[in-house]
Structures are given as structure tokens and as C-alpha cells.
């Protein structure tokens, strides 16, 4: 399977970004690439790049956070109930809920649905797959923080909601240029 190496999302507040992604979700802060312009957080083999100052006009702050138009799915080795408790304690997510296993439309283990402080929607599933956990740990991934690699293992998928009529062109790009598996789903 292909993994996205990183996703860029502009944020308006670096302190809130660190609190949500590191303290709340359990990613590890990348000490090498976090600087006075952006926050980088590691999720095993993947990253979020979170600029809060623009490159184009040096020193100009991001005024509107970038919201991914869909769902960002993450895989964790941590019990999602523990993550839920931590997120509620941190008070940085705007909504947090558990969707139970056996849901016919999802068909996965327990998962955590989270709306982050910048408006992005996350679905976090715990993997019972020790092989995946060991693979990520052995592969090394990105530079780790002093706290260790964290519990988030990777970005499993991105769902991008688009207007009707645009899916064929966009799906073809991701299949042919990026080599991704693409599912086109029509919701009424």
C-alpha cells in the first residue's frame, strides 16, 4: 500500500496546533523541522506540516486555517477510549465521539471521530495488527521527539469531498499520476 508522506494544513495558532496534534492526538513533535514559521508533527511514517506564517510574505501570520474538504483517517496503536479521554481533558477538539464496532456502513473496529480546533475532521482507528505496529517502529520514520515515536502510526486515507461532475478527472489524476487506489462514492 502507498502512504502519504505528509499533509500540509495552514493553522492560525501554533500553540493550539501543538496542543491538539501532540498533546491531544498523541503525535510526536518533530524537533528538526519545527521552527518559527511552522510546526511539524510525526505519525510514524507520515507527518503533518502545519505552517502558521506564510512563505510568500515573510512574517505574515496565517489568518484563516486551512480545512481539508473531507475526512482525514489516522491509525493509532492506542486505545481510542484513552485518546478520547485525553482530548476531552485537553479541551482542544470541538467534538469527540466513539463509533462502535459493527456499524454496517463502516465495518471497522471502534473508532474515534474528532473535529479539531481548526475545523478538520478526523477518524482515528486503533489497529490490532501487531505486524503494522512493528513495521512502523522498525522502519524508523521521521526524527522522533524526546518523548519517543508517539502512538499515531500513519495517515490511512484522505477522503476529499468534491462537487458532482468533477470526480472522474480528479480520480484519474490520483490513479494515473499518484498511483493511488481511488473509490468514487456518490452520496445523495
Amino acid at each position: 500500500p502507498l502512504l502519504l508522506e505528509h499533509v500540509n494544513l495552514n493553522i492560525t495558532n501554533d500553540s493550539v496546533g501543538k496542543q491538539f496534534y501532540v498533546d491531544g492526538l498523541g503525535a510526536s513533535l518533530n524537533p528538526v523541522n519545527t521552527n518559527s514559521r511552522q510546526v511539524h508533527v510525526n505519525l510514524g511514517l507520515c507527518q503533518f506540516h502545519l505552517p502558521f506564517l506564510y512563505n510568500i510574505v515573510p512574517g505574515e501570520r496565517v489568518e484563516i486555517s486551512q480545512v481539508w474538504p473531507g475526512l482525514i483517517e489516522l491509525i493509532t496503536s492506542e486505545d481510542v477510549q484513552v485518546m478520547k479521554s485525553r482530548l476531552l481533558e485537553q479541551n482542544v477538539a470541538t467534538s469527540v465521539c466513539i463509533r462502535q464496532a459493527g456499524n454496517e456502513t463502516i465495518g471497522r473496529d471502534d473508532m474515534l471521530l474528532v473535529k479539531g480546533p481548526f475545523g478538520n475532521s478526523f477518524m482515528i482507528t486503533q489497529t490490532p495488527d501487531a505486524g503494522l505496529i512493528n513495521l512502523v517502529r522498525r522502519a524508523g520514520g521521521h526524527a522522533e521527539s524526546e518523548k519517543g515515536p508517539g502512538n499515531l502510526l500513519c495517515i490511512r486515507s484522505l477522503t476529499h469531498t468534491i462537487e458532482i461532475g468533477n470526480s472522474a478527472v480528479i480520480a484519474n489524476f490520483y490513479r494515473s499520476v499518484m498511483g493511488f487506489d481511488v473509490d468514487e462514492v456518490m452520496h445523495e
Side-chain angles (χ1 to χ4, degrees), residues 38-115:
Q38 63 187 348
V39 175
H40 279 207
V41 296
N42 299 333
L43 303 84
L45 301 175
C46 305
Q47 290 185 325
F48 281 108
H49 296 179
L50 307 165
F52 54 90
L53 293 178
Y54 288 112
N55 274 337
I56 300 167
V57 180
E60 184 179 339
R61 291 201 70 82
V62 170
E63 293 180 12
I64 299 172
S65 294
Q66 185 178 4
V67 178
W68 179 261
L71 186 66
I72 302 168
E73 186 179 352
L74 308 176
I75 301 293
T76 184
S77 60
E78 180 178 30
D79 183 323
V80 293
Q81 293 284 0
V82 173
M83 186 183 289
K84 177 183 177 188
S85 296
R86 188 175 58 245
L87 282 163
L88 292 171
E89 184 179 299
Q90 291 288 332
N91 198 29
V92 289
T94 59
S95 70
V96 181
C97 69
I98 296 281
R99 178 171 272 170
Q100 296 299 318
N103 182 309
E104 293 175 15
T105 61
I106 302 291
R108 297 193 184 131
D109 293 327
D110 286 356
M111 64 190 63
L112 187 62
L113 302 174
V114 177
K115 184 76 132 190

